[in-house]
Amino acid sequence: MAEIERVIIIGSGPAGWTAAIYAARAALKPLLFEGAINEKNAQQGTLPLGQLALTTEVENFPGFPPGDLSGFLESSLPEDRRGYLPPHGKHGVSGPELMELMRAQAVHFGTRVITEDITQVDFSRRPFRLHASNGEEYQAQAVIVATGARANYLGLPSEDRFKNRGVSACAVCDGALPRFRNQPVAVIGGGDSAVEEATYLTHHASKVYLVHRRDTLRASKIMTQRATDNPKIEIAWNRTVDEVLGDDENGVTAIRLKSTVGDDDLTLEVRGMFLAIGHTPNTDFLKGQLELTEKGYVKWVKPFRTHTSVEGVFAAGDVGDDYYRQAVTAAASGCMAALDTERWLASLGE
Ligand code: NAP
């Protein structure tokens, strides 16, 4: 069995990397599990570097105004990590770039990274035991959980049938595929993500239907304005998806919509259906080990602290936050979790 780590960090979004930067600088020698690269994680959107790696421009992370970062990226990222990045535009920073920069910063201060999932934990006694997808067991005095959340699907059998053949939960990952080019597509949802995805898709698709189950969007005012001003976006109000239609050769060809206000069914001919209906926290491996909220998020047990129901286990980022869910708030709570961990270990004299 491997030696007992002082702190293991699980997750590789802004929360995980920020926790690692602070823990490494506090000489805690963090070991971070960034997630495995496999089909299951690709399917459900839980590959290393988290949800930000699935976005384009990040306009609201402080410190990155519009500008050309290419020289900085070249000098700060090792060559073998730059190959993964999409081409850099003069926009400031993209999600994948921001995550690679955070990763590089954590590694620079001595964070050790393992590209595997943690599949099972035993928090019933210390040192805590963590089982990884490589079959190994790891032990730690303290753990920071920063596994984030993943996109939801509707749960229709026809949706499942056409996943990767027209059904996607990530417009930014899949929107530029040839199957959608100059074709009509639909985005399901009424929040900021739905509008963001719809707007992005207008660069590739001929038309984008935004399908929402109510008669007002949940999205912020500025985003709502963006959707209503865009001539390529048409909103289908008061509608839910009843069935995804298509065939084996073409994938998705249409979606049949039900009305929530008693109107007749409506069939939209589209080649793609993009889900933007919220998220589920990545906490399956924690069930029975940590107290979770009704929605399955990790419960923080002290106001303005990152302590969980198990002493020595801390949580940061979207895995415990269904309210703010921003890169900067995730990063901030990663910092808090590392400081809480450091202080807790110090209080034990460790
Ligand atoms: P969200 O705000 O929770 O919105 C989810 C949307 O999906 C809602 O409109 C909801 O409808 C709809 N929905 C949920 N389940 C559904 C179902 N089964 N069938 C049909 N529709 C369903 O999630 P989000 O848009 O992902 O945003 C999450 C957070 O991130 C928010 O705080 C948001 O402000 C933030 N965000 C910000 C930006 C930005 O500022 N650029 C971009 C993306 C996200 P109802 O409205 O009827 O509940």
Side-chain angles (χ1 to χ4, degrees):
M1 181 158 331
E3 70 178 80
I4 300 171
E5 303 288 341
R6 301 182 80 183
V7 58
I8 286 182
I9 298 167
I10 317 170
S12 57
W17 294 122
T18 308
I21 291 165
Y22 273 78
R25 287 168 60 83
L28 295 179
K29 298 191 169 68
L31 176 65
L32 183 147
F33 285 83
E34 68 174 346
I37 299 174
N38 58 33
E39 193 48 40
K40 182 180 170 227
N41 283 343
Q43 280 272 340
Q44 62 177 21
T46 50
L47 283 172
L49 305 185
Q51 295 178 81
L52 267 186
L54 306 175
T55 65
T56 50
E57 286 81 15
V58 179
E59 295 173 346
N60 54 9
F61 199 86
F64 294 94
D68 188 353
L69 264 184
S70 15
F72 178 62
L73 290 171
E74 218 161 277
S75 62
S76 56
L77 297 179
E79 199 169 344
D80 63 324
R81 302 293 307 181
R82 294 206 297 272
Y84 296 110
L85 294 174
H88 178 75
K90 292 185 182 176
H91 48 63
V93 74
S94 72
E97 288 166 355
L98 184 59
M99 296 324 300
E100 286 291 353
L101 289 169
M102 288 191 194
R103 187 185 196 279
Q105 197 172 353
V107 169
H108 169 76
F109 289 119
T111 303
R112 291 158 297 140
V113 181
I114 297 184
T115 311
E116 299 285 350
D117 291 327
I118 292 297
T119 52
Q120 221 184 320
V121 294
D122 179 358
F123 289 161
S124 61
R125 64 203 151 102
R126 286 204 305 129
F128 302 124
R129 289 176 153 70
L130 296 87
H131 298 268
S133 48
N134 57 4
E136 299 283 323
E137 186 175 274
Y138 297 82
Q139 297 187 75
Q141 300 289 10
V143 173
I144 297 175
V145 178
T147 43
R150 61 181 186 275
N152 289 341
Y153 286 87
L154 296 167
L156 299 169
S158 56
E159 169 193 60
D160 220 28
R161 179 177 166 208
F162 292 112
K163 268 187 193 162
N164 288 335
R165 289 187 299 156
V167 171
S168 163
C170 181
V172 174
C173 322
D174 301 330
L177 293 173
R179 81 163 59 239
F180 305 121
R181 200 167 298 147
N182 294 322
Q183 300 290 333
V185 299
V187 174
I188 317 302
D192 282 329
S193 300
V195 174
E196 194 172 64
E197 306 240 318
T199 307
Y200 174 80
L201 284 166
T202 58
H203 302 308
H204 304 285
S206 58
K207 178 173 185 122
V208 181
Y209 295 99
L210 187 56
V211 179
H212 185 39
R213 61 186 178 184
R214 295 185 293 122
D215 62 0
T216 47
L217 294 180
R218 179 179 294 278
S220 57
K221 281 205 171 72
I222 185 169
M223 298 291 271
T224 299
Q225 192 69 37
R226 236 177 244 185
T228 47
D229 284 354
N230 193 320
K232 281 177 108 177
I233 297 178
E234 181 179 329
I235 305 179
W237 299 107
N238 303 311
R239 295 277 175 186
T240 55
V241 181
D242 190 34
E243 196 175 358
V244 185
L245 307 171
D247 54 61
D248 287 343
E249 194 186 332
N250 299 300
V252 173
T253 55
I255 53 176
R256 191 172 62 237
L257 305 178
K258 276 213 159 329
S259 168
T260 56
V261 290
D263 290 341
D264 290 342
D265 287 1
L266 173 71
T267 299
L268 297 178
E269 285 185 14
V270 291
R271 296 305 309 279
M273 178 177 91
F274 294 84
L275 285 314
I277 57 167
H279 293 83
T280 298
N282 297 315
T283 51
D284 287 352
F285 70 106
L286 296 171
K287 290 207 173 107
Q289 298 289 326
L290 272 191
E291 205 177 322
L292 304 178
T293 68
E294 251 173 40
K295 292 182 188 168
Y297 289 79
V298 175
K299 201 167 187 173
W300 281 303
V301 295
K302 293 185 188 180
F304 293 101
R305 298 286 184 273
T306 61
H307 300 65
T308 70
S309 59
V310 174
E311 214 181 295
V313 179
F314 302 85
D318 286 13
V319 76
D321 173 18
D322 66 347
Y323 186 71
Y324 294 109
R325 302 151 96 169
Q326 300 300 302
V328 70
T329 51
S333 68
C335 159
M336 291 160 69
L339 294 178
D340 287 340
T341 300
E342 185 190 355
R343 286 168 194 169
W344 182 75
L345 286 172
S347 75
L348 300 179
E350 289 169 9

